[in-house]
Structures are given as structure tokens and as C-alpha cells.
Amino acid sequence: MLQQNLVQKQETKILPQQIQLLNLFHLNTIELEHRIEQELEDNPFLEKKEDEEEAAADKFAKEQAQDYQDWEEYGYDDIPDYKMEYSNYLPDDEKTFSPMKAATDFREDLKKQFRLCCNDEKQTLLADYLIDSLSDSGLLEITLDKLAEEYSFTCKTWMEAEDFEPVLKVIQNLDPIGIGARSICECLLLQLKAMNQKRPDVQKAICLLKEHYQDLRNRNMDKIMECLQLEEDELKIILELVSSLKMKPVAEVQEGSTPNAHIIPDFLIVQEGDYLEVSLYNQRSSSLFISREWKEIVADSQKNKKDAAAAQYLKNKYQSAQWFVSAIRQREGTMLRIMKAIVNMQYDYFREGDIKLLKPMILKNIADKTGVDISTVSRITCNKYVDTPFGMILLKDLFTEGIINEKGEAISNKVIQVAIEDAIEKEDKKNPYTDQQLVAILAKKGFSIARRTVAKYREILQIPVAQMRSIWA
């Protein structure tokens, strides 16, 4: 029998305009400029004021053109022959600079290799995004779930982590070997799998990394020899094979010179005495406005009932321009609120520039202070830089977990990592510190942490275990 049932339930739905606003939050300065330019081209209602610098540059260009308008007056002012003869025999005072050899970015090379392996347009788009997400060392340092989430918001197409898995497998088969690895262990395994796997030492090295990588990190050599049924000499050969592999798939550029990537900051911090002034690097909301002429056209079209389709089109464009200007203002206001909350929480760090003054801070702390959602804080701080008196800082690096020291104070894990780096830098390279010895050294400095925590931070810093460091010394 047919029945009708009434069911009442609550659902959370995100409106399309809210998704667009979240996308604007995620953009950095350069990406926002492209987005604004695109909107200016698509929407005739939207206009921008000319910057004073641009107006001055146009004026200078016109004046310069006027100066050279009567070029015939100077066109026949020949250079004397003796000056030309002199330069033929003696070197010029000015040095001749040869052009730099441009270094090829490994990401562009990977994209070309992928297109030779795959013709699917959808997978090519996913591969391009994944390759652009690789670190400068060629490792994939974010999870596929996070990657899929960022892709979904950026490209406005919902994707799951499973969609990226086959693409990642193809990328990991490209050159250089180990590219796209999600950890140092996976990078080493990819290199071993590319070797002749019939060799006994390669087989045992793969088994060692797959099943006993944690024991290798903890230097449980007796357990490894017992499980793999190895003699001490055999284990030494395997460790030498592993130590000959690259920890990072992409090394420093040897040929040519890589041009310095010019980072445009999103925020500026200026110190005036004890006061820290926070501002946006480029405030665009003040330069965007809606054209008055087009406003009048919309008003006339509403009065004229003859062409309803044209009137509706103009109304939609007008509302879209209004929303865009409002969204840019809301973005800039939210960015300033979040950045000021970060500066207030990390005042000592921004004033002195000493990493040891960095306090533990997570996204929830800033979300509670500003009254916005954690996801909003994440998007505002993602991939954005702040220009400080002591250099350019990536906002993501300021968010760290805390550890309680002997005095009961919360210490940022960045401080612990710096202390580990300092200790390893000063160690005897022939007889390096084990993780347990590093625990004792940190304890003397007032940091009471477990050995597994030291191993975790050492791996984050991409520092190998003591056994490998002694072989490489």
C-alpha cells in the first residue's frame, strides 16, 4: 500500500555565494589580482580607480614620447670615427654580462612526462594540480584528502582522495625516481623498487624499510638482525645501500641559475617603538566601484518593459558586481581581524624576530578570538605571507603545537626543532648523537620530551638516524 510520511530533519547547505566567498578567502595577493582582472573583463558594471603610480607612469610615457617627437633634429648627430676605432682596439669600461642559463623547473618537466603517459584530460588536470602541490624537494607533504579538498574549492568541482591515487601512482613512475613520495621512507622504497629486485641486498633493503623502518629509526639493530635473519656484515651492506639513496628526489639545481621567486606579501607589519602596526599589502576594495553610467542604464531598463530578457541580464550583472565589491571588503576585513589576533598572540615574536619566543598556537585559538569558523582561519592563513621587520614569514609556519617544559610553561614545538638542529649541528660527525642522547641534551635545556617525539621531529626536519649520519660523515 502507498503511504505518505512527514519527516522533519535539519540539513546544512552551503549557498553558491558562500562557496565563492570561501574561494576568495583562499586566494593570495597574486591570485586575487587575476580574479579581479577577470571580473573586470566579464562584468561591465565593475570598474577600478587608476592608481596614482600608474597615472604618473602614463604621464611620464607621454612626456617621453613628446621629447622624441622631433627625432630628425638629432638623427644625424654621428659619432666621431676616432671613438669607434678606439673601441675596436681597447676594451670598454662597462663590463659585458652574458645572459644567465635558465634552469628548467622540475614541475614543468613532470607535466610533459605525464602527458606522454596519459591522454585523459581529467587526469591531466588532476596531475597538474598535484604536481604544483609538490614541495621544492619533490615530496608530497600534504595528504590526498587535504589535496582533494583544496582542489574542490579552487576548481569548483568536487573530488575525493581516491580520484588522485591513480594519478599519484603514474607520477611516482616518472623521473626523477622517488618523485611524489609522501615520506622519506616511501622515497627510499621507490628508488629501491627501480633497481634490480632480484638482487638479495635490494630485496632485504625493501623488506627492512617496509617492515622495520620504525626499528631502524629507533636503532633496534638486534631486533632487525633477528627478524631478517641477518649477520652483522650483511646488515652493514644493506645500511650502506640505503644510505647511498637520495633522501629527496629533487636536489639543488647545479646547472644554470634559478631566478629568485619574488614573493608578494599579503600583510605588512611595521614596528613603531613598542607598537606593531598591521595592514594589508594591497587594499583593493577602495579601488573598486560600480559604474554610474551602467546604473542609469539598469534604471532605464527596469522602466522599459519591452525587452525583459535584457533587463534581467543587466540586473543580474549589477547584483553580481555589488556582491563582488562587498565580498572583497568582507575578505579584507576578515583578513585584518585574523592577522591582528595573530600579532596580539605572538607579540614578542614579531617584535624581536626570535623563533624561541614563538608561542604554541592552533587555528582554534585564533577562531575563538575573532569569532569566525576554523575553516575560515585556515583559508585566510593558507599560502599567505606577512612582511615583517625581520623578513618574510609564511603564516602557516606560525601555527604550532605546544609542549610543557619543566617550569610548566607551554613551548612551541618549533623551539624544540631548532634545539634539535643546533645539537646535531654541533655533534661529532663520526660519532653522532642517538635519539636517546638527544633526549638527555634537551632535558638539560629544560625540554622534557620522549624519545619517539625526538624521532618524530628529526624526521620532520629530514635528518636521518645516527647510523646513517655516521656513514655519510
Side-chain angles (χ1 to χ4, degrees), residues 189 202-213 228:
L189 279 169
V202 174
Q203 291 177 357
K204 290 178 180 178
I206 292 173
C207 184
L208 170 66
L209 292 175
K210 276 186 175 180
E211 300 178 9
H212 301 283
Y213 182 67
L228 297 180

Side-chain angles (χ1 to χ4, degrees), residues 20-28 327 330-332 334-335 376 379-382 384:
Q20 291 179 23
L21 183 61
L22 291 175
N23 285 330
L24 285 177
F25 285 165
H26 191 271
L27 301 178
N28 58 28
Q330 186 176 347
R331 175 186 183 271
E332 291 177 349
T334 308
M335 286 176 68
T376 303
R379 287 181 177 85
I380 289 291
T381 56
C382 177
K384 293 182 178 64

